[in-house]
Amino acid sequence: MLASTVRQLLTEVDTLRPGSREMLGRMMEMLFFEMLRRYVGRLPQGSAGWLGALTDPLVGRSLPLIHTDPMREWTVEQLASAAGTSRSVLAERFKTVLGQPPMQYLAGWRLQLATHLLRDGSRSIAEVAGEVGYESEAAFNRAFKRHLGMPPGAWRQSNAA
């Protein structure tokens, strides 16, 4: 698959026909994801870090839930149930593989999403807080400052798009 995609990519570069730019972009994405899949597939069992977490049988079942629905009021019990394990086992696996417990990971993911929304600048801080799962702007402000060292308004000013 890799060899044929590279050959096709080189053909597109040589001919540069209408639509080549789009084709090249898609082929590069395919190459990237195939290389990533191969890399992750060769990681030793129990590898730490985000890519290792994807291959972990328990943490790997929890991450998609967190990433696809970060606004949900997740509990460790809900994530553990979805992963088919206990709260304590899931919490320990998160700490081993990602270096932090599940709820801390969730908070970090929410705040990462918030930085993208704040950089956009089209939403108020209260709107961003709600969109990433905080019930109040005050709770969001506290979490943001604790995680990023400054309140969201100051962060927005210093990181405007």
Side-chain angles (χ1 to χ4, degrees):
M1 184 236 173
L2 287 176
S4 65
T5 302
V6 169
R7 278 193 297 277
Q8 182 64 34
L9 203 151
L10 293 172
T11 300
E12 284 296 325
V13 167
D14 288 341
T15 59
L16 289 178
R17 299 172 292 180
S20 287
R21 171 178 245 143
E22 290 75 16
M23 292 283 293
L24 289 169
R26 297 290 186 229
M27 284 190 275
M28 292 303 290
E29 287 174 8
M30 285 177 47
L31 283 173
F32 171 75
F33 284 111
E34 180 59 25
M35 296 301 290
L36 189 59
R37 283 183 359 185
R38 288 175 183 229
Y39 176 79
V40 169
R42 291 188 175 122
L43 285 174
Q45 184 75 15
S47 293
W50 199 79
L51 291 176
L54 292 175
T55 63
D56 183 272
L58 301 178
V59 177
R61 287 186 214 132
S62 302
L63 288 178
L65 300 173
I66 289 171
H67 283 256
T68 57
D69 195 5
M71 294 185 337
R72 184 170 169 178
E73 292 183 32
W74 289 109
T75 64
V76 178
E77 187 170 351
Q78 291 169 329
L79 293 169
S81 176
T85 191
S86 69
R87 292 181 326 210
S88 59
V89 169
L90 184 66
E92 182 57 37
R93 291 297 281 273
F94 257 81
K95 282 194 67 101
T96 300
V97 177
L98 291 170
Q100 58 189 326
M103 294 301 99
Q104 187 178 347
Y105 181 87
L106 172 61
W109 176 240
R110 286 176 172 172
L111 294 171
Q112 186 175 347
L113 294 172
T115 61
H116 292 285
L117 296 172
L118 289 168
R119 189 176 281 125
D120 166 341
S122 64
R123 295 170 183 87
S124 71
I125 291 173
E127 288 172 323
V128 170
E131 285 187 46
V132 297
Y134 285 87
E135 291 185 18
S136 74
E137 185 176 351
F140 173 67
N141 282 326
R142 284 190 303 275
F144 197 95
K145 186 172 183 181
R146 185 174 50 250
H147 189 76
L148 292 154
M150 65 178 74
W155 188 93
R156 173 184 266 168
Q157 287 179 338
S158 65
N159 291 278

